Amino acid sequence: MAGNRAVAYAGAGNVEVKDIDYPELILRDGPGVHPLNIGRKCEHGVIVKVMTTNICGSDQHMVRGRTTAPEGLILGHEITGEVIETGRDVEFIKKGDMVSVPFNIACGRCQSCKEQNTHVCLNVNPDRPGSAYGYVDMGGWVGGQSEYVMVPYADFQLLTFPDKEQAMDKILDLTMLSDIFPTGFHGAYSAGVKPGSSVYVAGAGPVGLAAAHSAQLLGASVVIVGDLISERLEQARSFGCETINLRDHDNLGEQIEQILGVPEVDSAIDAVGFEASGHGQDAEEAPATVLNSIMDVTRAAGQLGIPGLYVTEDPGAADKAAMQGSLSIRFGLGWAKGHTFVTGQTPVMQYHRSLLNSILHGKANIAKAVNATLISLDEAPLGYNEFDSGAAKKFVIDPHNMFTK
């Protein structure tokens, strides 16, 4: 039987590449696996040879020690690969298919899935609705920053690429379909971006850059990106965004007014989440900063897309309230302005097929927007460190050295 190597969480600030078991069509006990999921049979699943798997900002929250993730948890929820084994109950997915794996794990059978709310599937996580590969409190499904991974509910979930040779040529774009591109698009779409819109995106990390590119695809007239890191803002400017350096400016509305002539935008997107920082030279962590600032600069009756991650438990928070996910949000301001808020994980399957077509037909250039950068599996720890330092890159792991030779 083939071996398997994977990236594992090794305590706050550390990951390691280690040997793990080759996947089976059953969920075995291991770090983070919910007791009620142990022994769960997955004849509806497949084994995927991972061709690319991306490092996500959500992974970094765990690696920084800001969640209750156990050491040894196998990381990775952005997975693209080739099907090499199918379960007895798989009917339509075939060996040799090249596929994108949505980061949401969804059964396709519950009420949520039937309503296309695959981000809150009711049958895959005994703790609460919703699940993902390699993530804390998500049921314990083994992550895909590995050479091989098991994917359940294959017929329902997997997005098959129509032409393998074409997919190989566009792999750096297509690898973004498992999470980051749909997540960025969801942020823009749920913020009500439409032709002619003015849009503010908080955060120029990969999700923020994906949201900015998505806002452009939806027809926004002006996309403004704010961040504290100059290198990331330069990346946003590289594909036509206006930028605001929040390290140099603590009044966001004034900066928006200099660009638009008014201090408000039609739509705003939070691509930062709970590890947000205040604005200005001496800014410190302030987890409600982004939520409060986007309410402040979004016009009355505007919409706020919030794909940034917020958690129910943050052991590294500065105060007891934030440790429980309770933040000092000016909800009255949002209420008074009649804002619409959309939060939660992205239901990837609502978007990934349309975004696939946009890539294949040259309308979307997501790899360029997020500065996709290939690394080997052994380079993953260095990738995590560089990403954590604020590099303007989206690291794409190539476990079998298919693209990095």
Side-chain angles (χ1 to χ4, degrees):
M1 179 175 289
N4 196 14
R5 300 169 70 232
V7 180
Y9 173 55
N14 296 294
V15 300
E16 62 180 356
V17 179
K18 60 186 292 186
D19 292 326
I20 65 170
D21 292 336
Y22 186 83
E24 303 174 79
L25 296 176
I26 187 171
L27 186 53
R28 302 290 187 187
D29 194 8
V33 179
H34 194 286
L36 296 179
N37 264 350
I38 295 172
R40 186 167 180 163
K41 296 179 180 179
C42 297
E43 290 293 341
H44 42 64
V46 298
I47 306 300
V48 170
K49 178 183 177 180
V50 179
M51 301 171 78
T52 55
T53 175
N54 315 326
I55 298 176
C56 180
S58 297
D59 298 323
Q60 290 285 21
H61 295 306
M62 291 186 290
V63 173
R64 292 186 190 117
R66 297 299 295 267
T67 72
T68 56
E71 291 189 25
L73 182 74
I74 303 303
L75 301 169
H77 55 270
E78 301 190 15
I79 307 164
T80 303
E82 180 183 2
V83 174
I84 60 173
E85 180 183 339
T86 60
R88 179 191 60 217
D89 298 333
V90 176
E91 185 176 359
F92 303 111
I93 297 295
K94 307 298 183 187
K95 291 180 183 179
D97 283 348
M98 190 172 172
V99 297
S100 177
V101 182
F103 82 89
N104 321 112
I105 301 173
C107 72
R109 304 164 186 178
C110 68
Q111 179 180 352
S112 290
C113 287
K114 289 177 180 179
E115 294 173 350
Q116 293 191 322
N117 293 317
T118 54
H119 57 309
V120 284
C121 175
L122 304 177
N123 288 330
V124 289
N125 182 359
D127 276 336
R128 60 174 183 260
S131 189
Y133 303 89
Y135 213 83
V136 61
D137 296 331
M138 289 291 185
W141 300 88
V142 179
Q145 285 176 13
S146 57
E147 294 174 328
Y148 303 92
V149 68
M150 189 269 283
V151 175
Y153 304 106
D155 279 332
F156 176 65
Q157 296 194 100
L158 293 180
L159 176 66
T160 305
F161 301 146
D163 183 278
K164 189 170 183 178
E165 184 176 348
Q166 181 188 35
M168 295 289 281
D169 288 340
K170 290 184 173 288
I171 190 65
L172 287 180
D173 291 291
L174 298 180
T175 192
M176 306 303 167
L177 289 171
S178 59
D179 178 359
I180 179 178
F181 196 9
T183 293
F185 191 89
H186 178 63
Y189 183 81
S190 61
V193 178
K194 57 187 179 182
S197 293
S198 59
V199 183
Y200 174 68
V201 180
V207 169
L209 296 171
H213 184 46
S214 297
Q216 293 172 333
L217 292 174
L218 287 166
S221 58
V222 181
V223 179
I224 305 168
V225 181
D227 202 281
L228 301 163
I229 300 173
S230 296
E231 181 185 354
R232 289 184 166 183
L233 293 172
E234 183 179 351
Q235 178 63 25
R237 288 193 294 273
S238 75
F239 59 95
C241 298
E242 300 285 344
T243 61
I244 298 172
N245 191 323
L246 300 171
R247 185 74 68 192
D248 297 335
H249 305 286
D250 58 8
N251 190 314
L252 180 58
E254 285 183 359
Q255 298 306 306
I256 289 175
E257 187 170 17
Q258 289 187 20
I259 297 169
L260 297 178
V262 293
E264 291 184 322
V265 291
D266 297 314
S267 303
I269 302 164
D270 173 3
V272 178
F274 74 102
E275 286 192 74
S277 172
H279 302 164
Q281 288 290 339
D282 300 319
E284 297 180 349
E285 184 172 309
T289 296
V290 171
L291 293 171
N292 288 329
S293 65
I294 62 175
M295 284 190 283
D296 187 49
V297 302
T298 302
R299 66 171 175 83
Q303 294 179 218
L304 312 178
I306 309 174
L309 175 66
Y310 289 87
V311 295
T312 55
E313 293 185 74
D314 175 9
D319 60 70
K320 290 184 177 179
M323 287 181 180
Q324 303 300 317
S326 296
L327 310 180
S328 298
I329 299 170
R330 295 184 65 198
F331 190 74
L333 174 62
W335 189 94
K337 295 178 80 170
H339 284 157
T340 298
F341 301 75
V342 177
T343 68
Q345 290 185 48
T346 297
V348 169
M349 293 178 67
Q350 289 189 23
Y351 307 108
H352 65 174
R353 189 173 300 278
S354 296
L355 295 178
L356 167 66
N357 290 332
S358 295
I359 290 170
L360 295 181
H361 293 284
K363 302 299 183 183
N365 298 289
I366 186 65
K368 179 181 177 182
V370 302
N371 194 18
T373 303
L374 278 165
I375 59 175
S376 68
L377 188 64
D378 288 321
E379 292 172 316
L382 294 176
Y384 268 93
N385 287 337
E386 190 174 344
F387 187 29
D388 193 47
S389 71
K393 299 176 181 178
K394 175 67 171 179
F395 287 103
V396 178
I397 299 171
D398 174 9
H400 296 277
N401 297 315
M402 299 178 68
F403 307 100
T404 52
K405 292 178 180 178

